Amino acid sequence: MDAFTAGLLQRIKAAETDLTMARETGDDFLADVEQAELEDLRRLAAEHGVEVSAA
């Protein structure tokens, strides 16, 4: 796995964790921000052929 792929997957995992925490604490604004970040990262992964397991 190259550095780009590893970094991208790490950022996706972090965004998923942050999204879960935002939802659990009821922070709707942060949840929206994290959801948008996650969508962007998943789009970037798809554009570069990086397979992301469904969470």
Side-chain angles (χ1 to χ4, degrees), residues 25-46:
T25 60
D27 190 335
D28 293 336
F29 176 75
L30 183 57
D32 288 344
V33 170
E34 292 300 337
Q35 182 65 47
E37 175 73 5
L38 189 54
E39 289 170 4
D40 286 343
L41 291 169
R42 287 181 175 160
R43 177 192 48 77
L44 184 61

Side-chain angles (χ1 to χ4, degrees), residues 6-51:
L8 184 56
L9 292 174
Q10 182 178 16
R11 288 179 62 196
I12 289 171
K13 183 176 180 179
E16 289 172 337
T17 299
D18 292 345
L19 176 58
T20 298
M21 289 176 58
R23 287 177 175 164
E24 287 175 353
T25 60
D27 190 335
D28 293 336
F29 176 75
L30 183 57
D32 288 344
V33 170
E34 292 300 337
Q35 182 65 47
E37 175 73 5
L38 189 54
E39 289 170 4
D40 286 343
L41 291 169
R42 287 181 175 160
R43 177 192 48 77
L44 184 61
E47 288 175 359
H48 291 276
V50 176
E51 192 169 327

